Amino acid sequence: MTRRTEWPDSPEPGGPASGYGAADGFAAERGAAADEDGARSGPRSRGGPGARGGFGEGAGRRGRSGTRGSGSPSSSRAGEGEPRGSGEPRDPVEQARGICLRLLTGTPRTRKQLADALRKREIPDEAAEEVLSRFEDVGLIDDAAFAGAWVESRHHGRGLARRALVRELRTKGVDSAVIDEAVGQLDADQEEETARELVARKLRSTRGLDRDKRLRRLAGMLARKGYGEGMALRVVRQALEEEGEDTESLDEPF
């Protein structure tokens, strides 16, 4: 199953398809979940867990409306994480698997993001650990692939420098060693070239301002994207000089 990755709060599509090449493992997990549900709730509609709507959710809606399938409303609700017919709670491992599959649909997640979601849903730690480890084994959770795709997308799409990318990946719970390896794909020359492109796009909007204000605005824009003071000042000075500005007596912007 191939899906296009769209990163949160990034308008540009980026990164590889979700699943990181583990489509077979993904299908196996979905199939196992479907077999378990089928054994408990009886016959299902022909749509099955692979039908449009995602992991049986479409089938659940059809069952409730009575338009297709023979599944009862209680079996449909069970597929959505609600208690089963007799009022007994679902197995926590099954709940954890369903939550993770839904969260991974369309958007890759780190292990910590999924663990936090399971904790919020009060899934027992033992059940959460079992499911998360299983998902790592089949490649549905891959923090290294996530970090590499994040760096690629956010640098080329938003122009973020290594320092900003490190901050973002830390907030998502990626291990420091994994972060270092991911941001290592950006060398200093590539980072500086991206900084020059950012300044060139912003330069026109600063024309008409006094020289010092232009410097502060452009250098501040680079700083917010994670570029260091030395690189930001050098890139902005050069851009202003190319427009004929005298930068020898410019105030320091930081």
Side-chain angles (χ1 to χ4, degrees):
M1 174 177 177
T2 302
R3 286 173 281 113
R4 184 180 183 86
T5 301
E6 295 183 2
W7 298 105
D9 52 39
S10 177
E12 303 81 12
S18 175
Y20 311 115
D24 292 341
F26 192 28
E29 279 296 328
R30 291 173 55 191
D35 290 344
E36 291 176 12
D37 283 345
R40 292 186 179 91
S41 60
R44 300 171 64 92
S45 69
R46 289 186 298 173
R52 185 179 303 174
F55 313 118
E57 294 175 0
R61 288 192 295 271
R62 288 192 297 270
R64 285 194 298 275
S65 64
T67 57
R68 290 185 60 186
S70 57
S72 66
S74 62
S75 66
S76 299
R77 287 194 299 271
E80 298 175 359
E82 298 180 9
R84 294 190 180 276
S86 63
E88 296 179 0
R90 295 181 63 190
D91 173 56
V93 170
E94 183 183 346
Q95 277 189 293
R97 183 165 56 242
I99 292 167
C100 289
L101 286 174
R102 286 193 292 275
L103 289 174
L104 287 168
T105 301
T107 303
R109 312 268 181 170
T110 65
R111 177 171 178 135
K112 183 179 184 301
Q113 286 177 306
L114 293 173
D116 289 346
L118 295 178
R119 192 175 299 111
K120 185 176 181 180
R121 296 286 294 273
E122 299 183 347
I123 300 297
D125 290 344
E126 184 176 349
E129 180 65 25
E130 178 180 339
V131 171
L132 293 173
S133 296
R134 168 61 179 162
F135 275 37
E136 279 189 326
D137 289 343
V138 301
L140 292 177
I141 301 174
D142 188 336
D143 282 3
F146 177 96
W150 186 269
V151 168
E152 177 74 12
S153 173
R154 300 287 281 179
H155 177 72
H156 293 291
R158 299 289 300 275
L160 299 187
R162 284 175 290 187
R163 188 165 58 182
L165 293 166
V166 167
R167 286 197 301 264
E168 289 188 340
L169 288 171
R170 281 177 179 165
T171 65
K172 296 183 179 301
V174 180
D175 183 76
S176 294
V178 175
I179 293 175
D180 290 343
E181 183 177 354
V183 299
Q185 66 184 275
L186 298 177
D187 58 34
D189 291 340
Q190 182 178 356
E191 196 172 46
E192 184 164 335
E193 179 60 28
T194 302
R196 294 186 190 282
E197 292 172 359
L198 290 169
V199 170
R201 290 201 295 265
K202 186 75 172 176
L203 197 61
R204 179 179 299 178
S205 67
T206 67
R207 289 171 186 162
L209 300 176
D210 68 70
R211 184 189 56 186
D212 288 352
K213 186 173 290 187
R214 296 184 79 188
L215 176 68
R216 288 193 296 271
R217 183 166 296 185
L218 293 168
M221 177 268 294
L222 291 180
R224 288 190 296 274
K225 290 181 178 292
Y227 293 89
E229 176 180 348
M231 178 185 291
L233 185 58
R234 182 174 66 254
V235 168
V236 174
R237 281 181 180 272
Q238 183 177 349
L240 293 178
E241 287 171 0
E242 291 173 355
E243 286 203 340
E245 293 275 15
D246 177 14
T247 63
E248 290 299 322
S249 59
L250 277 172
D251 294 334
E252 297 297 322
F254 298 101

